[in-house]
Each structure stands twice: as structure tokens, then as C-alpha cells.
Amino acid sequence: MVSSFAQSGKVHDNLSMTSKILKMERNYAIYLPPDYETSERSYPVLYLLHGATDDHTGWVQFGEVLRITDNAIKDGTATPMIIVMPDADTGKMGYFNQGKDWRYEDFFFEELMPHVEQKYRIKGEKRYRAVAGLSMGGGGSFMYALHHPELFSSACPLSAYIGPLTLADFDKRLLRSDVKYTEKEKEAYFKKHNALELLKTVPVEDVKSVRWYIDCGDDDFLYEGNSLVHIAMKKKEIPHEYRVRDGRHSWTYWREALPTVLGFVSDAFHQY
């Protein structure tokens, strides 16, 4: 008789690694699928990014990643995968480089990704790697996949902050920040961290090489940016799924989104 225990994955939510780039220890959480301990195979990976004021435990505690992913794997709507949840709320908050002294995005690609993909049995090719996230992490999903379309087969921004919509918006945000930019640096940052600006500059074929799933509630305060990205992608004939469901900026909304995201990224892992 197989015990039901064998059917459960595992979450470790207090892992850490040393970052030379950020000069500190960095926490992360990881979900390992039910057969990880008993198999020798390698798995595809989903990088799942949290929102502002949460940390690497957000998707574990509020997002119920263990229960939802176990169920999706059990009922066959998702393929077994490893899910990596980094912490972007220690030191400074956010997934991007800020000024010269805080290089979070460099840390993510140059240290975190190589670390986990070496430590765990993760398949290291584009087609087996996806990124998803909510709110600030939805912005991270947009930017990471647009900055590095060669690395991700799918990107699933949920209720995403797509970046400041105008330079005036960006000025307002900078008033609350301790990072100082020259006018030239400010414009460069804006162009690199606004999904609409990136859709103007990243080659269309590169954007098309990523499968896009964009989901934002009808009562979400970030609806405008997501709608504009959908329209911009439509105009450029970039295939993407765009969902507007009933709901606001809440964990209820994101928990309901997660099974669909797991199925969507699995399609690419499986070769749909």
C-alpha cells in the first residue's frame, strides 16, 4: 500500500545562500515535487516572485503553493516541477538593480539561478524554465522575461506592476526612494523597467519566443498598465493569453490564478 504521505511535495522556506554581489546572505524558499526524493530525474523550474512587503515565504504562507501544486500534479494538470521563491524584501525592496550599490537583478541571474540550478536537479535549458509572480513580482516577471527572453519559455505576470507609466510617475516614486539618478540615468532606468517601453525596443521575435499569460482583476488598481500591455502586444501580433477575472489585488485572486499558471508553464515544459 502506498501511503498518502508519498504523494506530497515538500517546501523548504528557510534556505539561504551567500551573495557576493549584494554582500549578504539571501533567503529563498523552494518547492520540491512529490517524487523528487525517490527519483533521479531532473525537473523543469518555475521562478515564482512575491509582491511588495512580502518575502520568499509569501507564496508558501498565503499562496498555498504546496497544496495547490501537489493537487495540480496529482490531477495531471501540471507536470512535476521545482518552484524557486526568492526574497526581494531584504536590504532594499524590488527585483531590479537600484543605483550602483544594489544589484538585485544581477544577483538573480548571476548568483541565485546558477546556485539553485546546480544544487537541485533542475533542467537548465530555456524550454524548461519559467517565471511568474504577483504585483511587484508580476513586474519582475515582465522585466526578467523581456530582459532575458533567451532564458524563459513562459512568463506569467499576475496583477503586475508594469513599471511607472510616465516619467512624471517615476519622479514621484523616486521621491520615496534613497536612490539618486541624473536625468540621463533616470530616462535609461525608465526605458529598461517599463514593459511598454521594452515592447518598443526588444526585437519582436525575441518577445514571441516567450509564451505569455497575463492576468489582472477587473477591480485591480493596476488594471491600466496590464490593459496597455495587452493592446501593445496585440498591435505587434505577439501571441499571449490575457485574462480579466472578477477580483481585486488580493491573495484570493492569486491563489485562484496559480493552478492555471502551473498548467500554462507545464504546456511549454511538455512541448504542447
Side-chain angles (χ1 to χ4, degrees), residues 92-100 102-105 136 143 147 161-164 166-167 170-171 173-174 177 179-195 197-198:
K92 281 191 193 324
M93 188 173 72
Y95 291 98
F96 312 134
N97 297 347
Q98 296 173 51
K100 294 179 179 58
W102 188 261
R103 294 166 40 221
Y104 189 93
E105 186 167 348
M136 176 179 89
M143 303 314 145
H147 292 166
Y161 173 62
I162 70 144
T166 63
L167 274 167
F170 189 33
D171 280 333
R173 285 184 78 82
L174 283 176
S177 153
V179 183
K180 298 287 173 265
Y181 291 110
T182 64
E183 283 303 311
K184 198 173 172 186
E185 285 171 337
K186 193 167 71 182
E187 199 168 313
Y189 186 96
F190 174 75
K191 286 191 166 158
K192 194 178 179 185
H193 298 91
N194 172 299
E197 292 294 317
L198 286 165

